[in-house]
Amino acid sequence: MRIPFLSLFITSPFDGLQEHAEKVKECAWIFQHAIECHMVHNCKSFTGLREEVIRLESEADVIKRRIRGHIPVGTFMQVDKFQLFRYLKEQDNVLDSLEDVLDWISYREEPGIPEVHQKEFFLLIDSVIDPIEELSRMVAEARKYFKNYSDKQRTLVKEIIGNLRKQEHEADKAEDLVKKKVFNMEKDPVTVFHLVRLAETLGAIADHAENAGDMMRAMLSR
């Protein structure tokens, strides 16, 4: 194991990435409550929860700008700067997709998500929340790796990246299940369009988490 000498004197950009990842995870919890609220009749707090997600997204933007604005110029970096930015973009896209889902839901209050489809939607929501939890763990373990360059730590991060890929596959299957049921049960074209687009926007959350994993793999291979 060899630790680059200069890295001992540089603030790791992974400190900021970890802070951003925790903000995404916090946002995901509120997001899940918002959708559960939306599915319950006489929900009174959906708007408030959606505003909370918007507030957290704004705070994450501040962290993102700080990371981009404080990369040392002409100094040794643990990872390629552009790979780091691409990783950050994918992690931020996860958060944007959470907000997009709530925006889309808010456009059509009735019938919203019909009760007959709620079980499949809950499965899809669970399948896209799991990768967000894993994303946060991946950044935490990568942060350790780029401090000690341990082979064991590198292997652990690669295992988490593999988990993200499997979880994205599970989310794809859950999305397909929703679409199949909607197309076979719904007759109203507006309802079909609203539900299918909702399923695809939910699925995009897991897609971006997997893309973030791919960018992390690229940084590990440097």
Side-chain angles (χ1 to χ4, degrees), residues 185-210:
M185 292 189 66
E186 296 295 333
K187 304 299 180 189
D188 173 41
V190 176
T191 300
V192 170
F193 176 68
H194 185 256
L195 294 178
V196 168
R197 173 78 180 273
L198 177 59
E200 290 175 343
T201 309
L202 278 163
I205 297 169
D207 293 340
H208 289 305
E210 184 192 26

mmCIF file of all heavy atoms in Angstrom, residues 185-210:
data_model
loop_
_atom_site.group_PDB
_atom_site.id
_atom_site.type_symbol
_atom_site.label_atom_id
_atom_site.label_comp_id
_atom_site.label_asym_id
_atom_site.label_seq_id
_atom_site.Cartn_x
_atom_site.Cartn_y
_atom_site.Cartn_z
ATOM 1 N N MET A 185 -55.028 -2.344 -17.771
ATOM 2 C CA MET A 185 -56.204 -2.104 -16.938
ATOM 3 C C MET A 185 -56.849 -0.739 -17.173
ATOM 4 O O MET A 185 -58.046 -0.572 -16.989
ATOM 5 C CB MET A 185 -55.842 -2.236 -15.452
ATOM 6 C CG MET A 185 -55.501 -3.648 -15.036
ATOM 7 S SD MET A 185 -55.334 -3.818 -13.248
ATOM 8 C CE MET A 185 -57.004 -3.503 -12.713
ATOM 9 N N GLU A 186 -56.046 0.245 -17.541
ATOM 10 C CA GLU A 186 -56.579 1.600 -17.668
ATOM 11 C C GLU A 186 -57.075 1.865 -19.090
ATOM 12 O O GLU A 186 -56.429 1.467 -20.055
ATOM 13 C CB GLU A 186 -55.514 2.632 -17.279
ATOM 14 C CG GLU A 186 -55.074 2.558 -15.826
ATOM 15 C CD GLU A 186 -56.196 2.910 -14.865
ATOM 16 O OE1 GLU A 186 -57.096 3.672 -15.257
ATOM 17 O OE2 GLU A 186 -56.165 2.415 -13.712
ATOM 18 N N LYS A 187 -58.191 2.521 -19.207
ATOM 19 C CA LYS A 187 -58.760 2.852 -20.515
ATOM 20 C C LYS A 187 -58.596 4.332 -20.849
ATOM 21 O O LYS A 187 -58.511 4.706 -22.012
ATOM 22 C CB LYS A 187 -60.257 2.495 -20.538
ATOM 23 C CG LYS A 187 -60.548 1.033 -20.197
ATOM 24 C CD LYS A 187 -59.881 0.090 -21.190
ATOM 25 C CE LYS A 187 -60.205 -1.361 -20.823
ATOM 26 N NZ LYS A 187 -59.397 -2.313 -21.636
ATOM 27 N N ASP A 188 -58.577 5.150 -19.800
ATOM 28 C CA ASP A 188 -58.469 6.591 -20.028
ATOM 29 C C ASP A 188 -57.032 6.939 -20.436
ATOM 30 O O ASP A 188 -56.091 6.696 -19.663
ATOM 31 C CB ASP A 188 -58.853 7.336 -18.754
ATOM 32 C CG ASP A 188 -58.595 8.836 -18.895
ATOM 33 O OD1 ASP A 188 -58.894 9.386 -19.973
ATOM 34 O OD2 ASP A 188 -58.072 9.444 -17.938
ATOM 35 N N PRO A 189 -56.824 7.527 -21.633
ATOM 36 C CA PRO A 189 -55.450 7.798 -22.104
ATOM 37 C C PRO A 189 -54.677 8.782 -21.235
ATOM 38 O O PRO A 189 -53.453 8.670 -21.118
ATOM 39 C CB PRO A 189 -55.666 8.347 -23.521
ATOM 40 C CG PRO A 189 -57.087 8.768 -23.593
ATOM 41 C CD PRO A 189 -57.834 7.901 -22.636
ATOM 42 N N VAL A 190 -55.393 9.726 -20.623
ATOM 43 C CA VAL A 190 -54.693 10.687 -19.761
ATOM 44 C C VAL A 190 -54.134 9.971 -18.527
ATOM 45 O O VAL A 190 -52.995 10.198 -18.100
ATOM 46 C CB VAL A 190 -55.635 11.836 -19.348
ATOM 47 C CG1 VAL A 190 -54.929 12.773 -18.365
ATOM 48 C CG2 VAL A 190 -56.092 12.604 -20.576
ATOM 49 N N THR A 191 -54.957 9.077 -17.955
ATOM 50 C CA THR A 191 -54.499 8.314 -16.786
ATOM 51 C C THR A 191 -53.314 7.424 -17.153
ATOM 52 O O THR A 191 -52.332 7.329 -16.402
ATOM 53 C CB THR A 191 -55.654 7.453 -16.221
ATOM 54 O OG1 THR A 191 -56.728 8.318 -15.843
ATOM 55 C CG2 THR A 191 -55.200 6.652 -15.021
ATOM 56 N N VAL A 192 -53.400 6.782 -18.314
ATOM 57 C CA VAL A 192 -52.298 5.920 -18.759
ATOM 58 C C VAL A 192 -51.014 6.747 -18.890
ATOM 59 O O VAL A 192 -49.951 6.366 -18.374
ATOM 60 C CB VAL A 192 -52.633 5.254 -20.113
ATOM 61 C CG1 VAL A 192 -51.396 4.550 -20.685
ATOM 62 C CG2 VAL A 192 -53.775 4.251 -19.943
ATOM 63 N N PHE A 193 -51.125 7.890 -19.568
ATOM 64 C CA PHE A 193 -49.938 8.731 -19.763
ATOM 65 C C PHE A 193 -49.363 9.193 -18.431
ATOM 66 O O PHE A 193 -48.145 9.129 -18.193
ATOM 67 C CB PHE A 193 -50.305 9.950 -20.619
ATOM 68 C CG PHE A 193 -49.180 10.924 -20.788
ATOM 69 C CD1 PHE A 193 -48.050 10.580 -21.525
ATOM 70 C CD2 PHE A 193 -49.229 12.180 -20.208
ATOM 71 C CE1 PHE A 193 -46.990 11.476 -21.669
ATOM 72 C CE2 PHE A 193 -48.183 13.080 -20.354
ATOM 73 C CZ PHE A 193 -47.069 12.722 -21.095
ATOM 74 N N HIS A 194 -50.246 9.621 -17.523
ATOM 75 C CA HIS A 194 -49.767 10.124 -16.231
ATOM 76 C C HIS A 194 -49.050 9.040 -15.433
ATOM 77 O O HIS A 194 -47.961 9.267 -14.882
ATOM 78 C CB HIS A 194 -50.954 10.672 -15.420
ATOM 79 C CG HIS A 194 -50.549 11.319 -14.132
ATOM 80 N ND1 HIS A 194 -50.710 10.709 -12.910
ATOM 81 C CD2 HIS A 194 -49.962 12.519 -13.886
ATOM 82 C CE1 HIS A 194 -50.239 11.516 -11.956
ATOM 83 N NE2 HIS A 194 -49.795 12.613 -12.520
ATOM 84 N N LEU A 195 -49.624 7.841 -15.395
ATOM 85 C CA LEU A 195 -49.034 6.764 -14.590
ATOM 86 C C LEU A 195 -47.763 6.206 -15.212
ATOM 87 O O LEU A 195 -46.798 5.898 -14.503
ATOM 88 C CB LEU A 195 -50.069 5.647 -14.396
ATOM 89 C CG LEU A 195 -51.300 6.025 -13.554
ATOM 90 C CD1 LEU A 195 -52.269 4.844 -13.466
ATOM 91 C CD2 LEU A 195 -50.905 6.480 -12.150
ATOM 92 N N VAL A 196 -47.749 6.069 -16.545
ATOM 93 C CA VAL A 196 -46.553 5.525 -17.210
ATOM 94 C C VAL A 196 -45.391 6.510 -17.081
ATOM 95 O O VAL A 196 -44.255 6.126 -16.780
ATOM 96 C CB VAL A 196 -46.852 5.209 -18.692
ATOM 97 C CG1 VAL A 196 -45.557 4.920 -19.453
ATOM 98 C CG2 VAL A 196 -47.785 4.006 -18.793
ATOM 99 N N ARG A 197 -45.687 7.779 -17.300
ATOM 100 C CA ARG A 197 -44.629 8.794 -17.145
ATOM 101 C C ARG A 197 -44.133 8.838 -15.700
ATOM 102 O O ARG A 197 -42.928 9.010 -15.450
ATOM 103 C CB ARG A 197 -45.181 10.155 -17.565
ATOM 104 C CG ARG A 197 -44.258 11.336 -17.314
ATOM 105 C CD ARG A 197 -43.160 11.455 -18.357
ATOM 106 N NE ARG A 197 -42.293 12.588 -18.088
ATOM 107 C CZ ARG A 197 -42.527 13.834 -18.506
ATOM 108 N NH1 ARG A 197 -43.592 14.080 -19.252
ATOM 109 N NH2 ARG A 197 -41.688 14.807 -18.216
ATOM 110 N N LEU A 198 -45.029 8.669 -14.753
ATOM 111 C CA LEU A 198 -44.635 8.635 -13.336
ATOM 112 C C LEU A 198 -43.700 7.453 -13.069
ATOM 113 O O LEU A 198 -42.677 7.596 -12.389
ATOM 114 C CB LEU A 198 -45.882 8.540 -12.454
ATOM 115 C CG LEU A 198 -45.650 8.434 -10.943
ATOM 116 C CD1 LEU A 198 -44.876 9.649 -10.420
ATOM 117 C CD2 LEU A 198 -46.983 8.301 -10.208
ATOM 118 N N ALA A 199 -44.049 6.291 -13.617
ATOM 119 C CA ALA A 199 -43.203 5.101 -13.428
ATOM 120 C C ALA A 199 -41.811 5.328 -14.028
ATOM 121 O O ALA A 199 -40.787 4.953 -13.434
ATOM 122 C CB ALA A 199 -43.866 3.881 -14.062
ATOM 123 N N GLU A 200 -41.759 5.947 -15.207
ATOM 124 C CA GLU A 200 -40.461 6.183 -15.859
ATOM 125 C C GLU A 200 -39.621 7.197 -15.074
ATOM 126 O O GLU A 200 -38.397 7.049 -14.966
ATOM 127 C CB GLU A 200 -40.693 6.663 -17.287
ATOM 128 C CG GLU A 200 -41.238 5.574 -18.194
ATOM 129 C CD GLU A 200 -41.591 6.067 -19.589
ATOM 130 O OE1 GLU A 200 -41.719 7.298 -19.785
ATOM 131 O OE2 GLU A 200 -41.765 5.221 -20.479
ATOM 132 N N THR A 201 -40.278 8.213 -14.523
ATOM 133 C CA THR A 201 -39.539 9.217 -13.743
ATOM 134 C C THR A 201 -39.004 8.600 -12.455
ATOM 135 O O THR A 201 -37.884 8.895 -12.026
ATOM 136 C CB THR A 201 -40.456 10.417 -13.430
ATOM 137 O OG1 THR A 201 -41.068 10.858 -14.646
ATOM 138 C CG2 THR A 201 -39.668 11.578 -12.856
ATOM 139 N N LEU A 202 -39.808 7.729 -11.848
ATOM 140 C CA LEU A 202 -39.316 6.997 -10.672
ATOM 141 C C LEU A 202 -38.123 6.114 -11.042
ATOM 142 O O LEU A 202 -37.114 6.080 -10.333
ATOM 143 C CB LEU A 202 -40.447 6.135 -10.086
ATOM 144 C CG LEU A 202 -41.446 6.839 -9.174
ATOM 145 C CD1 LEU A 202 -42.715 6.006 -9.011
ATOM 146 C CD2 LEU A 202 -40.828 7.113 -7.803
ATOM 147 N N GLY A 203 -38.247 5.415 -12.163
ATOM 148 C CA GLY A 203 -37.159 4.530 -12.598
ATOM 149 C C GLY A 203 -35.862 5.285 -12.844
ATOM 150 O O GLY A 203 -34.764 4.738 -12.646
ATOM 151 N N ALA A 204 -35.969 6.542 -13.265
ATOM 152 C CA ALA A 204 -34.767 7.343 -13.545
ATOM 153 C C ALA A 204 -33.917 7.559 -12.294
ATOM 154 O O ALA A 204 -32.699 7.756 -12.390
ATOM 155 C CB ALA A 204 -35.172 8.690 -14.142
ATOM 156 N N ILE A 205 -34.549 7.505 -11.114
ATOM 157 C CA ILE A 205 -33.787 7.677 -9.863
ATOM 158 C C ILE A 205 -32.725 6.587 -9.749
ATOM 159 O O ILE A 205 -31.546 6.858 -9.483
ATOM 160 C CB ILE A 205 -34.742 7.636 -8.653
ATOM 161 C CG1 ILE A 205 -35.730 8.808 -8.710
ATOM 162 C CG2 ILE A 205 -33.963 7.651 -7.349
ATOM 163 C CD1 ILE A 205 -36.873 8.703 -7.705
ATOM 164 N N ALA A 206 -33.142 5.338 -9.964
ATOM 165 C CA ALA A 206 -32.197 4.221 -9.882
ATOM 166 C C ALA A 206 -31.177 4.279 -11.022
ATOM 167 O O ALA A 206 -30.013 3.898 -10.850
ATOM 168 C CB ALA A 206 -32.955 2.892 -9.906
ATOM 169 N N ASP A 207 -31.616 4.755 -12.207
ATOM 170 C CA ASP A 207 -30.683 4.883 -13.346
ATOM 171 C C ASP A 207 -29.525 5.812 -12.990
ATOM 172 O O ASP A 207 -28.358 5.509 -13.260
ATOM 173 C CB ASP A 207 -31.411 5.438 -14.576
ATOM 174 C CG ASP A 207 -32.442 4.471 -15.134
ATOM 175 O OD1 ASP A 207 -32.349 3.269 -14.836
ATOM 176 O OD2 ASP A 207 -33.340 4.929 -15.869
ATOM 177 N N HIS A 208 -29.860 6.959 -12.404
ATOM 178 C CA HIS A 208 -28.810 7.925 -12.066
ATOM 179 C C HIS A 208 -27.901 7.394 -10.950
ATOM 180 O O HIS A 208 -26.695 7.672 -10.943
ATOM 181 C CB HIS A 208 -29.434 9.261 -11.659
ATOM 182 C CG HIS A 208 -30.051 10.000 -12.803
ATOM 183 N ND1 HIS A 208 -29.348 10.320 -13.952
ATOM 184 C CD2 HIS A 208 -31.314 10.464 -13.004
ATOM 185 C CE1 HIS A 208 -30.140 10.962 -14.796
ATOM 186 N NE2 HIS A 208 -31.334 11.051 -14.256
ATOM 187 N N ALA A 209 -28.487 6.642 -10.001
ATOM 188 C CA ALA A 209 -27.655 6.051 -8.944
ATOM 189 C C ALA A 209 -26.664 5.060 -9.546
ATOM 190 O O ALA A 209 -25.484 5.023 -9.164
ATOM 191 C CB ALA A 209 -28.545 5.357 -7.910
ATOM 192 N N GLU A 210 -27.122 4.265 -10.517
ATOM 193 C CA GLU A 210 -26.216 3.322 -11.176
ATOM 194 C C GLU A 210 -25.128 4.072 -11.960
ATOM 195 O O GLU A 210 -23.952 3.694 -11.949
ATOM 196 C CB GLU A 210 -26.989 2.407 -12.130
ATOM 197 C CG GLU A 210 -26.081 1.343 -12.756
ATOM 198 C CD GLU A 210 -26.741 0.616 -13.916
ATOM 199 O OE1 GLU A 210 -27.631 1.202 -14.558
ATOM 200 O OE2 GLU A 210 -26.345 -0.527 -14.186
#
